[in-house]
Amino acid sequence: MEGSRGGRAGRRPPSRGGPCSGRRAVTVAALLLGGAAAVAAAPGGPAWVAPLLGRRAGRAAEAAVAAASAAAGAADAAAEGQRGPPPVRIGHGWDIHRLSTRAEAGQGCVIGGVEVDCDLGVVAHSDGDVLYHSATDAVLGALSLPDIGQLFPDTDPEWRGAASEKFLEEAWRLMDERGYRIANLDATLVLQKPRVAPIKDAMKENLSRVLRVPLPYVNVKARTHEKVDSIGEGRALSCHVVVLLERK
């Protein structure tokens, strides 16, 4: 009869393979191999089981493993294709420059876009703004882009004495065209001198302006290096910046 168990119409259609079909095949093959091995090892077991275990069952297991690997690979590829841009990205930037006299450096000391009132100069190809350089690298790093030295090499005469705001502007442009904005930025200046407490607010305002981010989402801290190494001896200054980007 058409609806009977034995009839063709009553049979279930063959199931389609999915991401787990390969794993089911491996499980079945493993059970078959385990059963055959048990029979072969039993006292008085049939002599034909061992050759079968070495030939047919072995080939079945290899085929099952291959099927499982292919299924898993297809599932991974599908998941990768469905994954969109991450909702947030984190970047870290660090920079250090040597300090000297203004005469040797050929320029003054600029930090966070502010000309510091001191007798020191930053030895650098550009204006040597460690805060802007670190912030630029933090944004580029969060976007998985080349670092500031690759985008603006110190071997290029175009950047000789350049204002580092240009670098930070470019980092913002690259971030904006990829659909991100600054969620927050935290900077830590590490220097024995010059003193930057009087210009902290001005540095924060500059970062807020260049990166188009509300002022409360930007922070600038400063600490000495306890007179340790070149920074502590006042022969260098450095900066760390951590930035969190979010999708617009």
Side-chain angles (χ1 to χ4, degrees):
M1 295 177 63
E2 190 174 9
S4 66
R5 288 178 179 269
R8 183 177 299 273
R11 295 181 183 176
R12 291 184 179 179
S15 61
R16 295 183 179 273
C20 295
S21 60
R23 295 186 179 89
R24 288 199 297 269
V26 171
T27 303
V28 172
L31 290 173
L32 289 174
L33 285 173
V39 173
W48 52 267
V49 172
L52 175 63
L53 181 62
R55 295 196 302 273
R56 295 182 180 176
R59 288 195 295 270
E62 290 176 2
V65 170
S69 298
D76 290 344
E80 185 68 24
Q82 293 170 1
R83 181 178 178 179
V88 295
R89 287 175 173 265
I90 298 174
H92 171 259
W94 174 78
D95 192 35
I96 185 170
H97 281 294
R98 187 165 66 88
L99 287 171
S100 185
T101 63
R102 284 176 174 258
E104 182 190 354
Q107 59 185 0
C109 180
V110 177
I111 306 176
V114 180
E115 178 82 31
V116 184
D117 184 14
C118 65
D119 59 356
L120 298 170
V122 179
V123 180
H125 185 69
S126 64
D127 66 2
D129 191 327
V130 291
L131 178 51
Y132 275 6
H133 290 184
S134 300
T136 299
D137 250 355
V139 174
L140 295 175
L143 297 170
S144 300
L145 293 175
D147 61 43
I148 187 173
Q150 293 173 279
L151 294 181
F152 310 101
D154 59 9
T155 55
D156 190 338
E158 180 181 355
W159 310 120
R160 167 67 67 181
S164 297
E165 184 169 320
K166 295 180 180 179
F167 308 152
L168 194 55
E169 280 275 6
E170 177 63 9
W172 177 86
R173 186 190 68 79
L174 293 169
M175 173 185 67
D176 183 64
E177 75 177 14
R178 284 162 175 76
Y180 287 92
R181 64 186 177 188
I182 301 290
N184 78 292
L185 181 149
D186 185 36
T188 303
L189 288 162
V190 185
L191 69 175
Q192 203 71 31
K193 57 182 181 179
R195 292 187 67 251
V196 294
I199 63 170
K200 271 188 181 181
D201 288 343
M203 292 188 290
K204 290 171 61 176
E205 290 169 3
N206 283 341
L207 286 169
S208 172
R209 171 181 54 82
V210 178
L211 293 172
R212 284 79 159 172
V213 57
L215 190 59
Y217 302 153
V218 176
N219 190 38
V220 176
K221 310 185 300 294
R223 57 159 299 156
T224 69
H225 214 240
E226 300 296 334
K227 299 184 178 181
V228 176
D229 67 32
S230 60
I231 295 176
E233 294 169 359
R235 296 184 288 110
L237 74 168
S238 70
C239 182
H240 292 267
V241 170
V242 177
V243 67
L244 177 67
L245 309 186
E246 62 182 359
R247 294 289 293 176
K248 293 190 291 185

